[in-house]
Structures are given as structure tokens and as C-alpha cells.
Amino acid sequence: MKFEITNPGAFSTLLVQLAANEAVKAESGAMITMSETLDVDSKMERGLLGGLSRKLLTGESLFFQTITAARGPGEVLMASAYPGEIAVLDLDGSEEYILQKDGFLAAEQSVQVSTKAQNLTKGLFSGEGFFVMRISGKGKLAISTYGGIQKLSLAPGETRIIDNSHMVAWSANANYKIEKASKGWISSFTSGEGLVCRFTGPGDVYIQTRNSPGFGSWVRQFIPTR
């Protein structure tokens, strides 16, 4: 199976080439076009309970799309619902990733997607809610972002401060905690940053260059009010 990022930039798409009988799972509604040799179906990840927990706990769709090369090899073109870049991660089974709820686009069938509970502080203040997605297994994983995407590789003991609205995915073994952007609460919020995440390596963190709350605030100023 081959994953290729096409139309790179703000409106990236993902082209997946499948050999006969191979299958790929994708976020519901991701398919744009596909070969006539492929079939698309819906499937709950990890059965009914897994699908319900994903819907109720993370707000994500109850179903994945499952696209299968049932009648010979073919290809499928996919994209996320919002403008931004796509990155492909090759998972070797030795490391798990935590993914923000809108970050999953597609993956090989050998990649498992489940929900993970965060502690109270991280759930309230991380911007991701109490539950995030845990990715494990071996195979290709495509993540999507709002805006551009950048990978930060943290060495053991290295620390990086990241605005919580810009997090996309991070290594499960990377430690992080929520804290004020500035020393005082007033200066933290008047600076426009509020709360941030302090990550400590080793581990990888994928960040996005734009954040939807900021874009929403920008758009609202142009909406007439009564």
C-alpha cells in the first residue's frame, strides 16, 4: 500500500494506492474519488463499544470509512473537511501516539485507533477535552491539520512550550503539563496566549500553524450583529 500527499499546501489531498484485496480506513466523509475496482463501506472501529466510545468521548464520527480493493488494484483520493496540510507517519509498532480529536485522516488496517482518558487538569485546559485518540500498531497513518504542519523532535530532557490550540499529535511517552503562558494569570490572558503545554522529551510533537478558535474570533468581527 502506498500513501502519497498530492496538492501539497493549504488544500492537501492524500492518494492511497491499493493492491488487490488491500483495505484502508479513513475518517467518515474523507473519500473524494476512487477507482471502480474499490468498494467503500462503513465500519465501527473496535466494534460497537469502541465506536460508541469514540463518538461519545471524543466527538468524532461513530464510523470509519473502509475502502477495499475488492475487484483488483486501485486508488482512492481523500481529504479532510478543513484546509490544511497532511503528514504521513510510518508506525513500527514500538511507539504509540496521542492524537487530537480532529487529527485522524486515514490509516492501514493494522493501525489501531482507541480513546484515551486525560486527567482532570489536562481535560479542562488542554483544549482537547477529557478524551483524546490513542494510535498504536504498525503501518502508515495520515494525520491532517488546520494550516501547515511541523514536526518537533525532542531529545531526552529537552523542553518545548506549545500553545495548546496548536497541538496535533505527540508521542505517548513524551511528558507534558498545562501551565500559564506568563507568570501571572492576568498577563497570561492579556498576552493572548492563556494556557500552554510544557512538553519534555524524548518524543515527537506535531504542531499546526493555525488554530480554529483564533480563526473563529477573526471571522466573528465581520459578522453583523443586531
Side-chain angles (χ1 to χ4, degrees), residues 95-172:
E95 188 172 18
E96 296 184 351
Y97 281 88
I98 307 300
L99 195 60
Q100 60 105 334
K101 59 183 183 294
D102 296 322
F104 178 82
L105 179 60
E108 294 188 60
Q109 290 289 77
S110 54
V111 174
Q112 289 84 49
V113 181
S114 59
T115 55
K116 176 183 182 298
Q118 300 196 93
N119 63 36
L120 180 62
T121 301
K122 290 179 179 178
L124 284 172
F125 300 119
S126 69
E128 305 300 335
F130 289 105
F131 293 88
V132 288
M133 301 171 69
R134 177 181 285 271
I135 310 296
S136 59
K138 297 179 66 174
K140 293 181 176 62
L141 165 70
I143 61 175
S144 58
T145 65
Y146 175 54
I149 187 169
Q150 185 170 338
K151 177 183 177 181
L152 305 175
S153 295
L154 305 182
E158 182 182 358
T159 297
R160 181 66 70 101
I161 309 299
I162 302 172
D163 183 285
N164 57 15
S165 296
H166 289 265
M167 298 191 308
V168 179
W170 56 96
S171 302

Side-chain angles (χ1 to χ4, degrees), residues 168-195:
V168 179
W170 56 96
S171 302
N173 62 338
N175 296 316
Y176 79 99
K177 61 181 180 179
I178 310 297
E179 60 184 36
K180 303 186 297 294
S182 302
K183 292 182 178 180
W185 282 108
I186 294 178
S187 59
S188 288
F189 286 99
T190 56
S191 69
E193 293 301 327
L195 297 168

Side-chain angles (χ1 to χ4, degrees), residues 24 27 39 71 103 119 146 203 214:
V24 62
E27 180 62 4
D39 288 336
R71 292 176 300 282
N119 63 36
Y146 175 54

